Amino acid sequence: MATTTAPVQLDRNVTEFLRQPRKMLIGGKWVDAVSGKTFETCNPATGDALARVAEGDAADIDLAVKAARRAFEDGPWPNMSPAERCRLLWKLSDLMDQHKEEFAELETLDNGKPVFFSRIVDVPQAIEMFRYYSGWATKVEGTTVPISSPLGKFFAYTLREPVGVVGQIIPWNFPLIMASWKLAPALAAGCTVVLKPAEQTPLTALLLGELIMEAGFPDGVVNIVPGFGETAGAALAGHPDVDKIAFTGSTEVGKLIVKAATGNLKKVSLELGGKSPNIVFADADLSTAIPGSASAIFFNQGQCCTAGSRLFAHKSVFDKVIAGVADEARKFRIGPGIDPSTNQGPVVSKEQLDRICSYLESGKREGAKAVVGGNKILGNGYFVEPTVLVDVKPQMKVVREEIFGPVVTAIPFDDPEEIVKFANDTVYGLASAVWTRDISKAHKMAAKLRAGTVWINCYNVFDPALPFGGFKQSGWGREMGYDAIELYTEVKSVCAQL
Ligand code: NDP
C-alpha cells in the first residue's frame, strides 16, 4: 500500500465557502440556531477543523416544520403545476452541474473519500437523481376503478397526493447522494421537507440548499437543519406535525425512529445496515470476480450499507480469490482524499476509526487471521488498512455485525445448497452478489437470496430507476424508481354516484 501526499489547490469558491460560518435554511432564509450554538466539522484526512456550522436543535426543527407546513398548505408550491415542479427540479440539476467541482471538493474534505470518486460517482449520481425525478413530477397518476356495488352506478377513481411535510435524516457515508435520494422524489411528489444532514458531513447539503433557493423553489419547501441526532434528529422524528419520516443510517437508530414516530403515527421509511454476502462460484470469471469483490468491500473505505463484507468463495478457488483480493488491497494508494491520485482515503471520523479497530481486535481475539491489513495507520488522519480476514467462524462478531469499514471476512464453501443458508444467516437483507458463468445458477441464487438487491457478476451498480432497500432488519420501503414516489404519496379514492 503506497501513500499519497501531493499538495492541492482548492477551488476558490470552496475556500470561500469554508471561511464563512454556515447557517441553516429555514423558510427560505439563512439563519443562526435559536440557541446561537455552532459546531465544527473536521477534515478526516488531518483531524483539523474544516468549517463551523449552526447547530440546530428542537427549537430550530420546530421552526423548520412550521415553515414546511406553511409552504405545503399556502403559497405557490401547492398551486404549482406538475410541469412547473419538473422544471424547477431540472433547473436545480443544471445548477448542480455548474457547481460540480465545488461539490466534489467539499464532499471529499468533509467525508474523506477520494476526490476521484466524488467527481465520477457522488456528484454525477446526485445530479442524475434530480434529473430522473424531474420526469416523474408530471407522471404521478391515479387510476379509474370499476365499481360493482348493488347500490347503483358509480364513477370511481384514485388520486395520488403528496404525503405532506416530510422529515428526512441522512448519514455521512454519501452525504450528497443521500440528500438527493431523499429530496428528489419528495419534491417531485409535491411534499415539503425538513432535511437533517449528519453532524460529520453537513457541507454539501448546505451548498445544495443555496442552489435550491437559486433555482427558485418557494420559501419553506426545503428546510435544512444541521445538528446532532439525539437533539435535532430526535425532535424531527418525534414532531407531531411531520407526516412522514425517511431515515438512512444504523439499524439501531432506525428502531429509535420507529418508536419516535408512534406519537402521531407518521409514515416511516428506513434504509438501514447490511452484512452483504458476496459469493464467488468455482465457475466464475475470476478476472472480474476478484477486482469486483475487492471493490465490493473497499469502495468508499468500506463505509457502504451494501458493502460486500462477507466474501464466500468456492473451496476450489478460495485461495486464488483471497490472494487476488489481498493483492488489490496492497495496490491502493492511501492518502488524503483531496489528492487526485488517492484511491483509498480516511474513514469519516475518529469514532468510526475506533469502532473499526475494535472489530479488528475482536476478530484477532476470536482467532481470525489478517491476510492483508489489520491495523490502523498511524498519523493525524483517520486511516485504516484495507483488511482481509480468514479463519473466521459464523458466530464471530466480525462475521455477524456491520463493521462499516474496509474489512472483509472470507469463508470457503463447498455445496451450493449450503451457501444459500450461510448467505441468508444474518439479521440483515440489503444486498448480495453472485459471480458465476452459469446463467441458470445465477438466477436460481437470485431467487433464493433474502436481500433487496442481488447483483450478478457486478457489484454496487445503482440507477435512479432501480428500486433499492432492504429485507429483514435492513429497512422498510424502497427508494428510487417509482417505488420512491409511492413512499412520498397517499392514495385517495373518490367515488361519485351517477
Ligand atoms: P447513525 O444511525 O447514528 O446516523 C445516521 C443519522 O441519524 C445521522 O444524521 C444522525 O445524526 C442521526 N441520528 C442519530 N441518532 C438519532 C436519533 N436518536 N434520532 C434521530 N436521528 C438520529 O449512524 P452513525 O453515524 O452513528 O454510524 C454508526 C453505524 O451506523 C455505522 O458504523 C454503520 O454501521 C451504520 N451506518 C449505516 C449507514 C447506512 O447507510 N445504512 C450510514 C451510516 C451509518 P448525527 O450523526 O448528526 O448525530
Side-chain angles (χ1 to χ4, degrees):
M1 282 164 255
T3 50
T4 65
T5 49
V8 171
Q9 182 76 43
L10 289 180
D11 183 287
R12 210 153 27 95
N13 293 340
V14 169
T15 312
E16 194 50 34
F17 188 92
L18 295 173
R19 210 191 321 268
Q20 308 284 341
R22 305 317 310 178
K23 300 189 180 207
M24 55 184 82
L25 178 62
I26 297 182
K29 309 235 161 359
W30 290 97
V31 295
D32 293 318
V34 172
S35 68
K37 283 197 203 161
T38 59
F39 67 102
E40 252 173 13
T41 65
C42 94
N43 178 348
T46 58
D48 296 337
L50 183 63
R52 192 153 274 287
V53 178
E55 182 188 324
D57 61 20
D60 307 282
I61 290 288
D62 191 50
L63 291 175
V65 171
K66 287 195 170 97
R69 176 60 61 193
R70 276 195 304 277
F72 183 71
E73 287 179 0
D74 308 311
W77 186 245
N79 296 319
M80 260 185 199
S81 69
E84 285 172 303
R85 271 189 276 124
C86 160
R87 281 195 287 274
L88 277 179
L89 284 161
W90 192 272
K91 186 162 177 201
L92 175 59
S93 70
D94 279 346
L95 286 170
M96 290 173 77
D97 205 27
Q98 287 162 27
H99 292 265
K100 60 185 182 214
E101 182 56 21
E102 285 155 73
F103 275 117
E105 290 183 16
L106 272 183
E107 196 73 320
T108 286
L109 291 169
D110 215 10
N111 166 281
K113 65 180 68 200
V115 73
F116 171 77
F117 288 117
S118 299
R119 285 180 183 138
I120 65 162
V121 177
D122 296 68
V123 178
Q125 280 199 13
I127 294 172
E128 282 313 309
M129 198 60 60
F130 285 102
R131 295 224 158 105
Y132 172 81
Y133 279 105
S134 75
W136 270 115
T138 50
K139 294 160 199 75
V140 181
E141 296 171 343
T143 52
T144 54
V145 184
I147 298 291
S148 309
S149 169
L151 299 176
K153 290 223 170 292
F154 298 87
F155 172 55
Y157 59 95
T158 61
L159 297 172
R160 198 167 263 285
E161 298 184 350
V163 73
V165 172
V166 176
Q168 302 183 322
I169 301 175
I170 54 173
W172 42 259
N173 54 341
F174 293 94
L176 184 63
I177 289 183
M178 288 297 110
S180 71
W181 283 24
K182 294 281 179 285
L183 287 171
L187 296 173
C191 296
T192 59
V193 175
V194 178
L195 175 78
K196 192 206 84 68
E199 77 200 42
Q200 298 85 347
T201 56
L203 299 182
T204 46
L206 294 172
L207 176 58
L208 183 63
E210 291 186 359
L211 301 187
I212 286 169
M213 296 319 296
E214 191 179 333
F217 282 85
D219 293 352
V221 169
V222 177
N223 305 273
I224 303 177
V225 182
F228 296 96
E230 301 78 37
T231 49
L236 187 55
H239 200 289
D241 202 30
V242 169
D243 298 298
K244 176 194 160 64
I245 193 97
F247 171 79
T248 297
S250 60
T251 293
E252 191 187 347
V253 173
K255 290 177 185 176
L256 296 177
I257 300 284
V258 170
K259 281 199 195 122
T262 54
N264 68 338
L265 281 183
K266 55 175 70 68
K267 310 281 181 284
V268 179
S269 53
L270 305 169
E271 198 264 277
L272 308 174
K275 192 74 185 172
S276 300
N278 179 42
I279 304 165
V280 182
F281 283 98
D283 62 359
D285 173 358
L286 295 188
S287 71
T288 55
I290 288 173
S293 299
S295 152
I297 181 63
F298 299 133
F299 174 62
N300 212 38
Q301 292 65 244
Q303 302 166 125
C304 297
C305 48
T306 53
S309 50
R310 288 183 300 142
L311 172 59
F312 296 100
H314 189 268
K315 64 177 193 187
S316 62
V317 291
F318 184 79
D319 289 345
K320 204 164 171 190
V321 170
I322 300 320
V325 172
D327 272 350
E328 294 287 322
R330 288 187 196 97
K331 280 191 239 159
F332 283 123
R333 289 183 306 281
I334 300 177
I338 201 69
D339 180 336
S341 67
T342 292
N343 54 14
Q344 191 78 189
V347 296
V348 73
S349 62
K350 168 141 191 345
E351 194 185 1
Q352 204 57 25
L353 177 66
D354 291 345
R355 197 183 146 92
I356 295 164
C357 291
S358 82
Y359 276 110
L360 291 173
E361 284 307 313
S362 128
K364 280 179 207 160
R365 257 197 324 274
E366 291 187 296
K369 191 172 127 235
V371 178
V372 65
N375 299 295
K376 80 167 148 194
I377 298 173
L378 297 176
N380 292 337
Y382 310 134
F383 294 93
V384 60
E385 293 172 342
T387 299
V388 178
L389 295 178
V390 292
D391 295 346
V392 293
K393 301 278 172 306
Q395 291 317 315
M396 287 182 182
K397 259 173 77 148
V398 284
V399 177
R400 304 213 73 78
E401 296 182 14
E402 183 175 53
I403 299 177
F404 227 63
V407 182
V408 65
T409 59
I411 301 180
F413 70 93
D414 191 3
D415 160 22
E417 288 304 316
E418 165 197 70
I419 186 54
V420 172
K421 261 204 336 231
F422 281 169
N424 288 336
D425 180 21
T426 166
V427 297
Y428 297 112
L430 193 59
S432 57
V434 291
W435 301 83
T436 172
R437 286 189 172 97
D438 178 342
I439 191 165
S440 167
K441 192 195 306 171
H443 290 292
K444 279 188 194 152
M445 285 297 294
K448 287 180 181 164
L449 288 168
R450 302 272 300 150
T453 296
V454 182
W455 284 295
I456 299 174
N457 296 328
C458 59
Y459 210 96
N460 275 339
V461 177
F462 290 94
D463 190 278
L466 190 62
F468 176 77
F471 283 33
K472 300 195 267 182
Q473 293 192 34
S474 288
W476 289 353
R478 294 292 176 271
E479 300 193 280
M480 300 203 276
Y482 179 66
D483 292 65
I485 294 292
E486 289 191 336
L487 287 186
Y488 291 103
T489 49
E490 293 272 24
V491 174
K492 180 184 281 176
S493 293
V494 182
C495 183
Q497 182 147 30
L498 298 178

